[in-house]
Amino acid sequence: MKGWLIVAGVILCCALLFYWFYRTQTVWVESAPYRRSVEKPAKTLVVVYSRTGNTLGVAKVVASYFDADLLTIDAPLYTRDYKGQRIAEKHADDEVTTTPITHDSVDISQYDLVLLCSPTWWYRPAVPLWSFVENYDFAGKAIFLMMTGNSRIKEGYIAKFATLVEKQNGKFLGMHFLQRGRVYWQKEPTALEEEALAELRERNKLWPVDVEGKIK
Ligand SMILES: Cc1cc2nc3c(=O)[nH]c(=O)nc-3n(C[C@H](O)[C@H](O)[C@H](O)COP(=O)(O)O)c2cc1C
């Protein structure tokens, strides 16, 4: 009898762990709406793909730092369910770069600085960000990559992403990885946002625009 109780307890723990993991990968995390504070055209564009909302929260904070325009990408293949999760895993593992994406129309030529915000999928930027970069010419633009993830990235993949940006004529300024922590212990969104702001402030000399979006 005692043996069966232990087996039942282990099965219950595994089921709870699986359910918790499934929720973190499929449930949308809300964040406050974003609006620019100034009417004149922005010099900075923040582009974000977010499957479950965490990267969007960070992107909004990044956008408000620069008073930037915010462009959100949708990628219909990576639905917020088990099927979408499996396709995302497979594409990331296969190093896919091209997937159908949709977003509002955008005139890249008006911007000097473009910040790309992405979740990490198998140690690399998520597939929709590669597709976005493939679709545009970034001549004369500085590009910075901000990634969120649970654990880690691999430098080799970031180098490949930088090569793609440069192939599309962008100047790759670098990247920052915001580590949220593994699913059983994750930072609060506010902690992540504060870290993002601190990283932006630290790089103030790097940006070709000032924080109000004016050309330096
Ligand atoms: C298919 C897939 C692969 C992932 N691979 C990694 C990884 O290699 N490293 C990591 O740190 N996080 C990884 N994660 C976790 C996400 O990067 C992390 O939860 C991210 O903050 C989610 O952002 P979002 O809510 O904006 O979609 C992966 C998530 C998915 C769905």
Side-chain angles (χ1 to χ4, degrees):
M1 181 63 183
K2 200 176 162 194
W4 282 110
L5 275 177
I6 291 171
V7 171
V10 170
I11 290 172
L12 185 67
C13 283
C14 289
L16 283 174
L17 259 178
F18 179 79
Y19 174 70
W20 178 243
F21 175 75
Y22 185 73
R23 272 189 66 82
T24 62
Q25 303 304 311
T26 55
V27 174
W28 182 257
V29 177
E30 285 298 341
S31 51
Y34 169 70
R35 278 193 63 179
R36 288 193 65 219
S37 60
V38 182
E39 297 254 317
K40 65 184 177 201
K43 285 283 157 199
T44 304
L45 175 69
V46 174
V47 180
V48 58
Y49 170 73
S50 182
R51 185 167 165 268
T52 44
N54 297 287
T55 314
L56 180 60
V58 168
K60 286 173 179 171
V61 165
V62 172
S64 49
Y65 186 75
F66 291 102
D67 201 25
D69 285 339
L70 179 67
L71 184 74
T72 54
I73 300 175
D74 278 327
L77 283 184
Y78 312 122
T79 45
R80 248 182 348 267
D81 54 14
Y82 184 65
K83 188 177 169 205
Q85 164 88 15
R86 291 306 306 269
I87 298 172
E89 282 172 7
K90 168 121 186 48
H91 283 187
D93 201 26
D94 291 346
E95 295 188 37
V96 169
T97 60
T98 310
T99 189
I101 57 170
T102 59
H103 53 76
D104 288 348
S105 69
V106 61
D107 176 10
I108 293 283
S109 68
Q110 87 173 68
Y111 304 105
D112 295 309
L113 173 65
V114 180
L115 295 109
L116 304 173
C117 299
S118 174
T120 309
W121 286 1
W122 277 182
Y123 316 111
R124 66 202 280 274
V127 180
L129 263 297
W130 297 78
S131 295
F132 181 81
V133 174
E134 283 177 340
N135 291 347
Y136 287 94
D137 184 330
F138 295 95
K141 323 277 166 227
I143 313 289
F144 188 79
L145 173 65
M146 181 76 88
M147 291 171 69
T148 72
N150 292 358
S151 55
R152 69 190 180 102
I153 53 164
K154 283 188 180 166
E155 291 300 333
Y157 291 132
I158 305 305
K160 281 188 184 175
F161 190 80
T163 302
L164 176 63
V165 167
E166 278 153 16
K167 187 173 158 244
Q168 300 299 103
N169 303 313
K171 181 182 176 204
F172 191 71
L173 294 182
M175 64 91 59
H176 181 70
F177 175 67
L178 293 163
Q179 190 187 45
R180 295 175 49 226
R182 300 237 182 230
V183 288
Y184 45 82
W185 184 85
Q186 292 193 318
K187 286 178 192 161
E188 289 297 321
T190 46
L192 214 63
E193 290 163 11
E194 275 163 27
E195 186 183 329
L197 284 177
E199 292 295 331
L200 295 176
R201 273 188 213 110
E202 203 163 287
R203 289 174 174 82
N204 260 347
K205 290 208 174 94
L206 194 64
W207 315 125
V209 295
D210 70 18
V211 291
E212 279 90 38
K214 294 193 286 278
I215 305 172
K216 268 182 180 169

